[in-house]
Amino acid sequence: MTAAIALPLLILLLGLAPPAIFTLFVTLIVFLALVEFNRMGMKQEQVFVQWFAAALGAALVPLFYFNQSAWPTVFLTVVFLVLALFFLLRPGALVRVHHHFGWICLGLIYIALLLGHLVPLRMLDHGRQWIFLTLVVVMCCDTCAYVVGSRIGKRKLYSLISPNKSVEGAVGGVVGAVLGALISKLVFFPAISIWSVVAVGLLLGVVGQIGDLFESMLKRACEVKDSGNMIPGHGGILDRLDSLLFAFPLVYYVACGSFGG
């Protein structure tokens, strides 16, 4: 039911919303994802700094809208210094301050910076198509990896991090990603060349699964099954974004190279 409601709204937002509204949407998602991420790693400790850091991280996203490449770097530098001062004045338990400060800073890079690339990607000439292509490719990758892995998967891919994933499923995911890219070209993105489609499919088929494994590693480190419960029936926001967080920045740079920005 959640997917039935959220997916059409997402499609309408990507297809019809102007860049400014889309930027506000990404800003909200980054804020909620950072709140969830900080809570996952810090539990109920220093709740104020969790929300404060989430707000600072979300504030990074609108800077991408103004297309000034130096601003995000300057902003992250200032945020790091502000948070360093905050922890210095309110360190909490000293035996965990390095963990908490490091976790907060990881969230700024892992979520705010990576997902912030959605904004300049949307503003490219073929931005909508690139975003839809990424979503289709990653969904096809996840689906094919699950189907192939559940039916013929035997060899463990990385049992320490995700014991249910198999090598066969991973290969099926890459094949599914290429098929998803080809479908995207035929249905809504004819401007992209066939070689670019295959290359992007292969790239996202690998990178998307790495992103999934990376989030699984973080959840195991935090001893949680789901990153949160913000999305009924689907776990947390990060559980839905894990593959995309690594995918969108790479797609942005590929798109800039393919169409000259």
Side-chain angles (χ1 to χ4, degrees), residues 45-46 87 90-100:
E45 297 187 61
Q46 294 186 293
F87 272 94
R90 299 180 59 180
L94 286 177
V95 294
R96 291 192 294 277
V97 68
H98 60 298
H99 165 75
H100 290 165

Side-chain angles (χ1 to χ4, degrees), residues 160-182:
L160 177 65
I161 301 299
S162 188
N164 293 327
K165 287 183 171 59
S166 65
V167 173
E168 293 82 1
V171 173
V174 173
V175 174
V178 174
L179 291 176
L182 291 171

Side-chain angles (χ1 to χ4, degrees), residues 5 8 17 21 56 60-61 101 121 142 158 206 210:
I5 296 173
I21 300 299
L56 289 177
L60 171 69
V61 177
F101 184 57
L121 178 60
D142 289 347
Y158 198 174
V206 174
I210 292 175

Side-chain angles (χ1 to χ4, degrees), residues 136 154 191:
V136 170
K154 294 181 180 179

Side-chain angles (χ1 to χ4, degrees), residues 2 18 21 26-27 29 48 59 70 105 119 130 159 209 225 233 251 256 260:
T2 300
I21 300 299
V26 177
T27 301
I29 294 299
F48 175 78
C105 292
V119 174
W130 279 110
S159 57
Q209 295 188 70
K225 181 179 182 295
V251 170
C256 288

Side-chain angles (χ1 to χ4, degrees), residues 55-74:
L56 289 177
L60 171 69
V61 177
L63 297 180
F64 286 98
Y65 176 76
F66 297 102
N67 201 27
Q68 298 292 327
S69 58
W71 288 6
T73 303
V74 173

Side-chain angles (χ1 to χ4, degrees), residues 110-155:
Y110 177 48
I111 297 173
L113 182 61
L114 294 187
L115 197 59
H117 281 78
L118 257 176
V119 174
L121 178 60
R122 167 64 181 81
M123 295 172 68
L124 295 178
D125 290 339
H126 296 84
R128 288 191 182 97
Q129 290 93 327
W130 279 110
I131 293 174
F132 276 122
L133 180 145
T134 305
L135 294 173
V136 170
V137 168
V138 169
M139 285 190 290
C140 288
C141 177
D142 289 347
T143 301
C144 289
Y146 173 76
V147 171
V148 173
S150 60
R151 295 196 175 188
I152 63 172
K154 294 181 180 179
R155 290 172 290 181

